């Protein structure tokens, strides 16, 4: 029986094939890597163990992307019921609990990406009471670490680095919207209003300052930490300070939609749609973004397939939280079209010719990191979006 989405539209048959191929690749990668963590991106289409760094051994849990590996396992377990994959996800969750208890590599707002997928998800889907409780405790500890980054009087969460680092002081980035669900969850769990207040204030600051009048976005924005005054936008991973980094715009679509769900603030829904419409208007003819939206059809710049995958899942969140039937249908159509274009042109063929679920992503073009490679987060959001499209009732990990 063909599956249908929330608006009743059938899921494209090729997307069922794409999802099955993606799941088969995750299963193969779980056989190869087990509980160890692959690196952020592939090298020539193959994942390798995350290199040892700063006392963390090879394949160990550091950086901001390890939870996408655990999230891929949870999606795969939900789709297949494979208990060996679930057990591996649970062992990762125990490792995330150790990481936060031992305070390893926590000087980052990406605690949200890390602990929403690895711990909040395990607190709900774990197989035993003990597994679920340990994961919940770890996620609450991570939320408290994230709150330490909340800066008064600016009312923002600092993105990167130590709070006293002059290069990073008072800076936040559009990606941070995806880190707010950890605080929203902590508020739901504890009733402590400090978490919800931080979400409201941080997202309001981003809505007011990180979106430009033409609906493109800055990647990063600085506030004066003494006065709280907004100072300036700049890029870190985009082409220029005044260009629009494709993945940042995609984080904006998904992140503002998630925070609309959390706060009920209609201005955040408007913000998500502003990001969304700009993103769609700046796609090239094959429907998959260049790594920066400043580039168009005549460019030889690399694509960032991961931005397409994040946007696809973001559109499915918009389709879930919006109540306007025309916008719901438009969001679903955008997600389906993005996924069809990704599956047709950016998934490896045959699927076992790469360890990645999606080829042609870009991590950081200015620093020549992971250019034209598979990425852990692109793989995660591609499978998340394929899962959401097939199962509109899927309970979010965010
Ligand atoms: N959140 C980091 C990145 O998107 O590269």
């Amino acid at each position: 029986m063909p599956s249908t989405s929330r608006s009743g539209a059938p899921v494209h048959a090729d997307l069922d094939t794409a999802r099955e191929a993606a799941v088969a690749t995750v299963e193969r990668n779980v056989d190869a890597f087990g509980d160890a963590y692959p690196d952020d991106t592939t090298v020539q289409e193959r994942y390798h163990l995350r290199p040892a760094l700063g006392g963390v051994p090879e394949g160990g849990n550091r950086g901001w992307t390890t939870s996408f590996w655990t999230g891929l396992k949870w999606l795969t377990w939900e789709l297949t019921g494979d208990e060996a994959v679930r057990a591996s996800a649970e062992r990762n969750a125990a490792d995330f609990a150790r990481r936060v208890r031992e305070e390893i590599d926590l000087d980052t707002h990406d605690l949200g990406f890390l602990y929403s997928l690895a711990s909040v998800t395990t607190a709900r889907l774990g197989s035993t009471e003990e597994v679920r409780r340990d994961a919940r405790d770890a996620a609450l500890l991570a939320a408290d670490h994230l709150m330490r980054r909340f800066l008064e009087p600016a009312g923002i969460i600092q993105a990167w680095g130590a709070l006293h680092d002059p290069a990073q002081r008072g800076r936040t980035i559009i990606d941070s919207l995806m880190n707010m669900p950890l605080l929203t969850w902590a508020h739901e769990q504890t009733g402590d209003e400090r978490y919800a207040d931080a979400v409201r204030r941080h997202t309001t600051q981003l809505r007011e300052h990180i979106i430009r009048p033409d609906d493109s976005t800055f990647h990063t924005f600085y506030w004066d930490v003494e006065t709280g005054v907004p100072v300036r936008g700049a890029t870190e991973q985009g082409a220029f300070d005044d260009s629009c980094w494709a993945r940042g715009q995609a984080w904006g679509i998904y992140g503002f939609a998630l925070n609309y769900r959390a706060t009920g603030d209609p201005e955040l829904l408007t913000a998500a749609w502003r990001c969304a419409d700009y993103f769609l208007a700046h796609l090239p003819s094959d429907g998959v973004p260049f790594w920066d939206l400043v580039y168009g059809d005549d460019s030889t710049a690399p694509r960032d397939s991961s931005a397409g995958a994040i946007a696809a899942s973001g559109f499915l969140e918009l389709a879930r939280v919006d109540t306007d039937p025309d916008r719901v249908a438009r969001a679903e159509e955008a997600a389906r079209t993005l996924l069809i274009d990704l599956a047709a042109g950016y998934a490896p063929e045959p699927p076992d010719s790469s360890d990645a679920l999606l080829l042609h992503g870009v991590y950081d073009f200015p620093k020549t990191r992971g250019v034209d490679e598979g990425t852990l987060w692109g793989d995660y959001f591609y499978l998340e979006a394929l899962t959401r499209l097939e199962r509109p009732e899927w309970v979010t990990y965010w």
Side-chain angles (χ1 to χ4, degrees):
M1 204 173 70
S3 19
T4 54
S5 55
R6 191 181 148 194
S7 68
V11 173
H12 196 289
D14 287 350
L15 294 180
D16 290 337
T17 310
R19 192 182 60 256
E20 283 157 21
V23 164
T25 301
V26 178
E27 296 259 15
R28 209 175 59 243
N29 289 343
V30 173
D31 286 344
F33 290 96
D35 303 341
Y37 302 93
D39 206 356
D40 304 316
T41 72
T42 58
V43 176
Q44 295 178 350
E45 301 179 5
R46 295 291 170 197
Y47 282 113
H48 299 274
L49 284 175
R50 188 163 292 255
L53 189 74
V56 178
E58 185 181 50
N61 191 354
R62 62 169 183 80
W64 71 280
T65 64
T66 45
S67 62
F68 295 113
W69 177 225
T70 311
L72 280 163
K73 293 176 189 175
W74 277 123
L75 290 171
T76 299
W77 175 70
E78 290 209 85
L79 290 166
T80 64
D82 183 335
E83 290 298 335
V85 175
R86 183 196 216 186
S88 182
E90 292 183 353
R91 287 190 296 273
N92 281 169
D95 187 50
F96 273 88
R98 181 194 58 79
R99 175 171 168 177
V100 71
R101 278 197 308 267
E102 295 179 8
E103 304 199 359
I104 296 167
D105 198 14
L106 303 185
D107 271 344
T108 169
H109 68 145
D110 288 327
L111 291 168
F113 276 115
L114 291 166
Y115 283 85
S116 289
L117 285 183
S119 301
V120 173
T121 301
T122 305
R124 184 170 59 82
L125 299 179
S127 59
T128 68
E129 178 58 36
E130 189 185 354
V131 165
R132 292 192 292 274
R133 191 183 55 241
D134 285 355
R136 178 180 181 278
D137 290 349
L140 285 174
L141 198 51
D144 285 338
H145 272 277
L146 186 51
M147 283 298 291
R148 292 182 202 172
R149 306 182 70 75
F150 188 76
L151 304 182
E152 295 283 11
I156 56 131
I157 289 184
Q158 180 172 316
W160 295 316
L163 297 176
H164 53 75
D165 178 349
Q168 301 298 348
R169 266 162 69 86
R171 182 192 226 193
T172 193
I173 70 175
I174 191 157
D175 323 26
S176 66
L177 293 166
M178 298 296 293
N179 292 319
M180 296 301 106
L182 179 65
L183 300 182
T184 298
W185 171 87
H187 173 245
E188 287 163 7
Q189 294 291 311
T190 63
D192 186 337
E193 289 298 326
R194 286 178 315 121
Y195 299 116
D197 189 53
V199 171
R200 272 192 298 273
R201 291 182 62 196
H202 181 84
T203 53
T204 299
Q205 287 287 47
L206 264 69
R207 176 179 64 69
E208 286 180 357
H209 300 291
I210 218 156
I211 308 183
R212 304 184 183 104
D214 70 353
D215 300 343
S216 67
T217 52
F218 290 111
H219 178 197
T220 87
F221 203 96
Y222 291 88
W223 276 257
D224 183 312
V225 288
E226 309 301 336
T227 63
V229 169
V231 179
R232 69 185 169 95
T235 200
E236 182 72 22
Q237 284 162 255
F240 310 106
D241 283 344
D242 60 356
S243 70
C244 183
W245 180 50
R247 194 157 66 251
Q249 195 77 9
W251 292 136
I253 300 169
Y254 204 165
F256 280 120
L258 287 171
N259 287 295
Y260 167 64
R261 189 187 75 204
T263 62
D265 176 356
E267 302 225 54
L268 297 183
L269 182 62
T270 303
W273 273 110
R274 288 175 65 194
C275 293
D277 286 332
Y278 187 94
F279 185 88
L280 291 178
H282 290 79
L283 290 177
S285 48
D286 81 348
V288 174
F290 287 97
W291 69 276
D292 192 296
L293 299 181
V294 76
Y295 302 112
D297 265 330
D298 55 349
S299 173
T300 56
R303 306 307 177 95
D304 181 8
S305 58
S306 78
I310 294 160
S313 217
F315 274 112
L316 292 172
E317 182 66 25
L318 270 177
R320 187 177 282 190
V321 297
D322 208 326
T323 51
D324 177 274
D326 290 342
R327 286 200 301 261
V328 169
R330 198 149 67 81
E332 277 191 355
E333 189 49 35
R336 190 178 292 103
T337 303
L338 279 161
L339 286 171
I340 289 169
D341 291 337
L342 287 167
Y346 292 76
E349 189 51 47
D352 63 2
S353 60
S354 172
D355 299 337
L357 276 52
L358 269 189
L359 306 173
H360 309 307
V362 170
Y363 184 176
D364 190 331
F365 190 90
K367 299 188 194 69
T368 55
R369 268 177 93 176
V371 173
D372 197 22
E373 293 288 353
T375 70
L376 278 182
W377 59 91
D379 288 358
Y380 172 80
F381 285 103
Y382 179 58
L383 186 55
E384 186 192 272
L386 289 168
T387 304
R388 294 183 76 134
L389 197 60
E390 201 235 359
R391 297 185 176 188
E393 72 289 359
W394 178 75
V395 178
T396 178
Y397 297 174
W398 302 103

